[in-house]
Amino acid sequence: MLLLNFSHPLTDAHLAQLAALLGEEPPPPIERLAQFDHGRPFAEQIRELVDSAGLSPHQWQTEPILVNPPGLALITAALLAELHGRMGHFPTVIRLRPVAGAAAPQFEVAELVNLQSIRESARQTRGER
């Protein structure tokens, strides 16, 4: 499994929460912070960001990949489109949520979202209505 982090660094607590959800220790994350120049096309910057992960075409298509997406929705949407093109399917993503009652902003792993399963389920509704 590969863990691609395109957001803030994952803490030891996040990695422990991921281990509990996965049933195994996650690999060390490949950290690539998505900070974009609003003066340049996002598609170009997404390609550069994903290329910087250093994975081979074989790895993109055969390794299980878990993604912590960036916080900006448009960058995440473009990232998922790029990843789908390279992988042939959508990855599973990490959903973080604020820790309730924390004095300072803190986040915890809420769930793993299998985007490919969501897509496949949505395809079942194409013929409805």
Side-chain angles (χ1 to χ4, degrees), residues 4 6 8 11 31 35 40 49-50 58 60-61 83 89 92 121 125:
L4 302 179
F6 296 103
H8 298 283
T11 65
E31 306 271 359
Q35 290 194 323
R40 291 180 52 211
L49 178 67
V50 174
H58 181 77
W60 284 117
Q61 295 175 59
L83 293 178
H89 58 87
T92 296
S121 180
T125 65

Coordinates of all heavy atoms in Angstrom, one line a residue, residues 4 6 8 11 31 35 40 49-50 58 60-61 83 89 92 121 125:
L4 N -0.4 8.5 0.0 CA 0.0 9.8 -0.6 C -0.7 10.9 0.2 O -2.0 10.9 0.3 CB -0.5 9.9 -2.0 CG 0.1 8.8 -3.0 CD1 -0.4 9.0 -4.4 CD2 1.6 8.8 -2.9
F6 N -1.4 14.9 0.3 CA -1.4 16.1 -0.4 C -1.9 17.3 0.5 O -2.3 18.3 0.0 CB -2.2 16.0 -1.7 CG -1.7 15.0 -2.6 CD1 -2.3 13.8 -2.8 CD2 -0.6 15.3 -3.4 CE1 -1.8 12.9 -3.7 CE2 -0.1 14.4 -4.3 CZ -0.7 13.2 -4.5
H8 N -1.8 18.8 5.0 CA -0.9 19.1 6.1 C -0.3 17.7 6.5 O -0.9 16.7 6.3 CB -1.7 19.7 7.2 CG -2.3 21.0 6.9 ND1 -1.5 22.2 6.9 CD2 -3.6 21.4 6.6 CE1 -2.3 23.2 6.5 NE2 -3.5 22.7 6.3
T11 N 0.0 13.3 11.6 CA 0.7 13.1 12.9 C 0.8 11.6 13.2 O 0.2 10.8 12.6 CB -0.1 13.9 14.0 OG1 -1.4 13.2 14.1 CG2 -0.3 15.3 13.7
E31 N 4.8 12.6 1.2 CA 4.3 14.0 1.5 C 4.5 14.9 0.3 O 5.6 15.2 -0.1 CB 4.9 14.6 2.8 CG 4.9 13.7 4.0 CD 3.7 13.9 4.9 OE1 2.8 14.8 4.5 OE2 3.5 13.2 5.8
Q35 N 0.2 23.4 -2.7 CA 0.1 24.8 -2.7 C 0.2 25.4 -4.1 O 1.3 25.2 -4.7 CB 1.2 25.5 -1.8 CG 0.9 25.1 -0.3 CD 1.8 26.0 0.6 OE1 2.9 26.3 0.3 NE2 1.2 26.3 1.7
R40 N -1.5 30.3 -12.5 CA -1.1 29.3 -13.5 C -2.3 28.3 -13.6 O -3.0 28.1 -12.6 CB 0.1 28.5 -13.0 CG 1.4 29.3 -13.0 CD 2.6 28.4 -12.6 NE 2.6 27.1 -13.3 CZ 3.1 26.0 -12.7 NH1 3.6 26.0 -11.5 NH2 3.2 24.9 -13.4
L49 N 2.3 18.1 -9.5 CA 2.2 17.6 -8.2 C 2.2 16.0 -8.1 O 2.9 15.4 -7.4 CB 0.9 18.1 -7.5 CG 0.6 17.7 -6.1 CD1 1.6 18.2 -5.1 CD2 -0.8 18.1 -5.7
V50 N 1.4 15.4 -9.0 CA 1.3 14.0 -9.0 C 2.6 13.4 -9.5 O 3.1 12.4 -9.0 CB 0.1 13.5 -9.8 CG1 0.0 12.0 -10.0 CG2 -1.2 14.0 -9.2
H58 N 3.5 1.5 -13.6 CA 3.2 0.2 -13.0 C 2.7 0.3 -11.6 O 1.7 -0.3 -11.2 CB 4.4 -0.7 -13.1 CG 4.2 -2.1 -12.5 ND1 3.5 -3.1 -13.2 CD2 4.5 -2.6 -11.3 CE1 3.4 -4.2 -12.5 NE2 4.0 -3.9 -11.3
W60 N 1.3 3.0 -10.2 CA -0.1 3.7 -10.3 C -1.2 2.7 -10.5 O -2.3 2.8 -10.0 CB -0.1 4.8 -11.3 CG 0.6 6.0 -11.0 CD1 1.7 6.6 -11.6 CD2 0.3 6.9 -9.9 NE1 2.1 7.8 -10.9 CE2 1.2 8.0 -9.9 CE3 -0.7 6.9 -8.9 CZ2 1.2 9.0 -9.0 CZ3 -0.7 8.0 -8.0 CH2 0.2 9.0 -8.0
Q61 N -0.9 1.7 -11.4 CA -1.9 0.8 -11.8 C -2.0 -0.5 -10.9 O -3.0 -1.2 -11.0 CB -1.7 0.4 -13.3 CG -1.8 1.6 -14.2 CD -1.5 1.2 -15.6 OE1 -2.1 0.3 -16.2 NE2 -0.5 1.9 -16.2
L83 N -5.6 11.3 -10.8 CA -5.3 10.0 -10.3 C -6.2 8.9 -10.9 O -5.7 7.8 -11.2 CB -5.6 10.0 -8.7 CG -4.7 10.8 -7.9 CD1 -5.0 10.8 -6.4 CD2 -3.2 10.4 -8.1
H89 N -9.0 3.8 -11.8 CA -10.1 3.8 -10.9 C -9.8 4.9 -9.9 O -8.8 5.5 -9.8 CB -10.2 2.4 -10.2 CG -8.9 2.0 -9.5 ND1 -8.7 2.4 -8.2 CD2 -7.8 1.3 -9.8 CE1 -7.5 1.9 -7.8 NE2 -7.0 1.3 -8.8
T92 N -9.0 5.3 -2.6 CA -9.7 5.5 -1.3 C -9.0 6.7 -0.7 O -7.8 7.0 -0.8 CB -9.4 4.3 -0.4 OG1 -10.1 3.2 -1.0 CG2 -10.0 4.5 1.0
S121 N -21.6 2.3 -7.1 CA -23.0 2.3 -6.6 C -23.8 3.4 -7.4 O -25.0 3.1 -7.7 CB -23.0 2.7 -5.1 OG -24.3 2.8 -4.6
T125 N -27.8 3.8 -10.6 CA -28.9 4.7 -10.7 C -29.1 5.3 -12.1 O -30.0 6.1 -12.3 CB -28.8 5.8 -9.7 OG1 -27.7 6.6 -10.0 CG2 -28.7 5.3 -8.3

